[in-house]
Amino acid sequence: MAIRPLIFGVLFIAVFVVIIISIIWVDTSHPIHQPDPLSPTAPGPATPGQVQ
């Protein structure tokens, strides 16, 4: 009986389908890396304010 190759074939196809679905599942509308609000920021240009 060819049960073992059938099981291996079904498992291989199932893993392949799961990989494809996981790639499609990733939502590309949101950025992957969001800056940490508590992390120190790099010094930028000074914002002009009113001098009193």
Side-chain angles (χ1 to χ4, degrees):
M1 301 274 310
I3 298 296
R4 189 179 302 170
L6 180 67
I7 292 173
F8 286 142
V10 169
L11 285 177
F12 178 77
I13 293 173
V15 168
F16 186 71
V17 168
V18 166
I19 290 172
I20 296 298
I21 290 176
S22 67
I23 290 172
I24 295 172
W25 187 264
V26 174
D27 188 10
T28 57
S29 64
H30 299 292
I32 296 173
H33 176 71
Q34 296 179 350
D36 188 7
L38 297 178
S39 65
T41 57
T47 56
Q50 294 181 352
V51 179
Q52 295 184 7

